[in-house]
Amino acid sequence: MKGKGFLYLPAQSLVFARIPKCANTSIKTRLSTLIQTKIVQHPHQNRVLEPTNDLFWKKCTKEARWLKPDQYTALYDRVTSFSVIRDPLRRLQSCYREKVLRPEVFPAMKKLGYDRGMTFNDFVKLTCALDVFNMDVHTQPQTFLIMDSKGRLPHFIARLENLDQDWKKLSTSMKDKGVNLGGSLPRLNSSKNLSNLTTDELSLSADTQREYELTYGADIKLFENLSRNHAER
């Protein structure tokens, strides 16, 4: 299914439900240290495949593989699955800045009608008008991306905004199961801040705000619940 990606490490009984722009690069790089890999040249570029590329997990190792949602569902009760989410609006702001406000609009998004001259409000309005299956993976709702075929969320969900503490908690839990995830997670390919965009430039009209809340309602609720649980500890 377009967008969904469940990276399975059988020996560790571990599944990573990935969301682009949510520490994806850092986590896949760390997971690659848990398995045996080999160097393979990128099939279309003059460089070797790296853990950040999905092809790496298909061509550079036999100790991990990508699962389809129904395959992940079949294993759900026998593995530990995890993911990292972030504030839904901040995720859209990051996508707008990095995929649209650039010399050339990200090709996959350009095909969907995104234009470099559009405002953030117009960006969100167009995004919410798309069917979830037609959205770019960088804008698809996070809950959609990480749910299995029965609509279940991963066993452990971290927040990007609290990643150091959440990663430590996951690492401790996995160490009890004989899996060493290493120390703190380095920030690889971290997004730049949004200081070049003003509050007004990132604001939404009342109508667009309603569309955003309808489209990303499940994401908003999940993020708020996780934030609330953290505050209550």
Side-chain angles (χ1 to χ4, degrees):
M1 185 178 293
K2 178 184 175 183
K4 289 178 178 280
F6 303 101
L7 183 57
Y8 176 42
L9 280 66
Q12 292 76 19
S13 296
L14 189 65
V15 172
F16 170 47
R18 67 104 171 91
I19 301 174
K21 306 306 297 178
C22 290
N24 193 39
T25 296
S26 299
I27 292 171
K28 286 199 291 188
T29 299
R30 174 59 58 80
L31 293 180
S32 71
T33 66
L34 301 179
I35 59 177
Q36 293 292 321
T37 63
K38 61 182 179 180
I39 296 176
V40 175
Q41 193 74 13
H42 193 291
H44 307 299
Q45 300 175 15
N46 186 28
R47 60 185 179 89
V48 299
L49 284 169
E50 299 177 350
T52 53
N53 191 310
D54 286 357
L55 281 177
F56 173 92
W57 301 93
K58 296 178 180 180
K59 296 181 176 294
C60 298
T61 183
K62 294 183 178 180
E63 296 183 15
R65 67 179 187 271
W66 292 102
L67 300 177
K68 296 179 180 179
D70 57 342
Q71 294 174 319
Y72 166 45
T73 297
L75 292 170
Y76 187 87
D77 294 325
R78 304 199 299 274
V79 300
T80 298
S81 57
F82 76 99
S83 189
V84 177
I85 68 167
R86 68 188 297 186
D87 180 290
L89 189 59
R90 292 286 294 180
R91 176 171 173 255
L92 287 178
Q93 290 170 348
S94 176
C95 180
Y96 171 65
R97 186 194 66 248
E98 297 184 13
K99 303 299 181 183
V100 176
L101 296 185
R102 50 188 280 170
E104 290 291 335
V105 176
F106 193 60
M109 301 196 75
K110 190 173 184 179
K111 291 179 180 179
L112 294 172
Y114 293 96
D115 181 87
R116 190 177 186 280
M118 70 192 327
T119 64
F120 179 63
N121 186 80
D122 290 340
F123 168 82
V124 175
K125 194 174 185 66
L126 172 56
T127 299
C128 293
L130 296 171
D131 181 275
V132 66
F133 298 103
N134 292 322
M135 286 181 177
D136 181 80
V137 66
H138 295 87
T139 62
Q140 284 179 312
Q142 297 170 90
T143 45
F144 167 80
L145 290 173
I146 62 178
M147 282 181 175
D148 75 345
S149 60
K150 291 185 177 180
R152 293 177 295 187
L153 294 170
H155 301 103
F156 183 90
I157 301 176
R159 288 180 303 136
L160 186 64
E161 293 80 356
N162 193 56
L163 187 56
D164 289 340
Q165 294 181 47
D166 288 346
W167 183 258
K168 183 177 181 180
K169 183 177 179 180
L170 175 65
S171 296
T172 299
S173 173
M174 292 307 301
K175 195 169 186 179
D176 292 340
K177 299 178 181 180
V179 178
N180 187 358
L181 291 179
S184 59
L185 198 65
R187 297 294 200 277
L188 303 177
N189 196 31
S190 58
S191 298
K192 301 173 184 176
N193 61 46
L194 296 167
S195 59
N196 58 321
L197 297 173
T198 67
T199 301
D200 286 343
E201 290 174 318
L202 292 173
S203 63
L204 300 178
S205 68
D207 287 345
T208 304
Q209 179 69 29
R210 283 193 291 272
E211 292 175 19
Y212 159 72
E213 291 175 357
L214 285 172
T215 302
Y216 295 95
D219 285 12
I220 296 170
K221 183 177 181 180
L222 176 60
F223 184 79
E224 289 178 345
N225 286 342
L226 291 175
S227 299
R228 188 180 303 112
N229 290 340
H230 174 74
E232 293 173 351
R233 291 175 192 167

